[in-house]
């Protein structure tokens, strides 16, 4: 017997948002998936934080007048692509947290862990996965 497809309620798949909040690190910069932006709430400003001892990088939502505040995302309706940065100070600080044997011809993917209470996305750099460029 055939199903009555007219009476099925469907959810629309959002093709613009990744399933997981990932960052990609390569020799030229760092890219954030839209899921990172979505989970953080498309913040205008963030603070980039690192713990060298624990090899963790974090992005904390903040106000523009907070210490070391950095412009980050456009509002949701205007942020149509992923976000990337090639600021040398930032990229080198994050790359220093990766495993010692980095291959400059590879990229590294790290999935974030979001804490909604502190509005912070944590990236454990020891979880970095080496990938070939597409």
């Amino acid at each position: 017997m055939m199903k009555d497809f007219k009476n099925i309620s469907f959810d629309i798949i959002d093709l613009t948002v990744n399933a997981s909040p990932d960052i990609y690190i390569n020799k030229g910069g760092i890219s954030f998936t839209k899921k990172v932006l979505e989970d953080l709430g498309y913040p205008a400003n963030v603070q980039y934080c690192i713990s060298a001892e624990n090899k963790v990088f974090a992005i904390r939502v903040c106000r523009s007048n907070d210490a070391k505040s950095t412009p980050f995302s456009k509002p949701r309706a205007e942020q149509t692509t992923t976000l990337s940065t090639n600021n040398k100070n930032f990229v080198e600080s994050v790359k220093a947290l990766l495993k010692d044997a980095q291959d400059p011809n590879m990229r590294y993917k790290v999935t974030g862990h979001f804490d909604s209470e502190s509005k912070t996305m944590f990236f454990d750099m020891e979880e970095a996965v080496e990938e070939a460029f597409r």
Side-chain angles (χ1 to χ4, degrees):
M1 188 164 181
M2 194 162 165
K3 287 185 180 181
D4 184 4
F5 293 106
K6 293 177 188 174
N7 294 322
I8 296 175
S9 176
F10 289 97
D11 293 323
I12 299 172
I13 300 170
D14 186 349
L15 301 178
T16 64
V17 177
N18 297 63
S20 60
D22 300 324
I23 59 172
Y24 293 92
I25 304 161
N26 59 49
K27 65 181 175 181
I30 297 176
S31 298
F32 305 91
T33 63
K34 285 191 73 176
K35 182 67 173 161
V36 172
L37 305 175
E38 183 178 87
D39 286 355
L40 290 171
Y42 294 87
N45 295 85
V46 297
Q47 293 169 319
Y48 294 129
C49 311
I50 61 170
S51 170
E53 179 183 340
N54 295 298
K55 297 196 178 296
V56 174
F57 160 63
I59 306 169
R60 180 184 308 140
V61 175
C62 68
R63 292 186 289 269
S64 62
N65 60 348
D66 287 343
K68 298 183 182 175
S69 172
T70 301
F72 192 64
S73 176
K74 297 175 186 173
R76 180 185 179 111
E78 296 174 33
Q79 188 69 49
T80 57
T81 61
T82 60
L83 188 106
S84 297
T85 182
N86 59 2
N87 178 293
K88 187 175 180 179
N89 294 334
F90 170 63
V91 173
E92 293 303 319
S93 295
V94 173
K95 280 177 138 181
L97 301 175
L98 286 171
K99 299 172 189 158
D100 295 332
Q102 293 177 45
D103 183 341
N105 298 316
M106 301 296 278
R107 73 177 186 167
Y108 296 86
K109 174 180 135 181
V110 186
T111 299
H113 306 277
F114 183 59
D115 177 46
S116 59
E117 191 174 308
S118 66
K119 295 184 181 178
T120 304
M121 181 77 64
F122 299 94
F123 298 90
D124 183 345
M125 302 309 278
E126 292 180 340
E127 295 176 0
V129 176
E130 188 176 81
E131 297 183 338
F133 286 107
R134 287 185 249 164

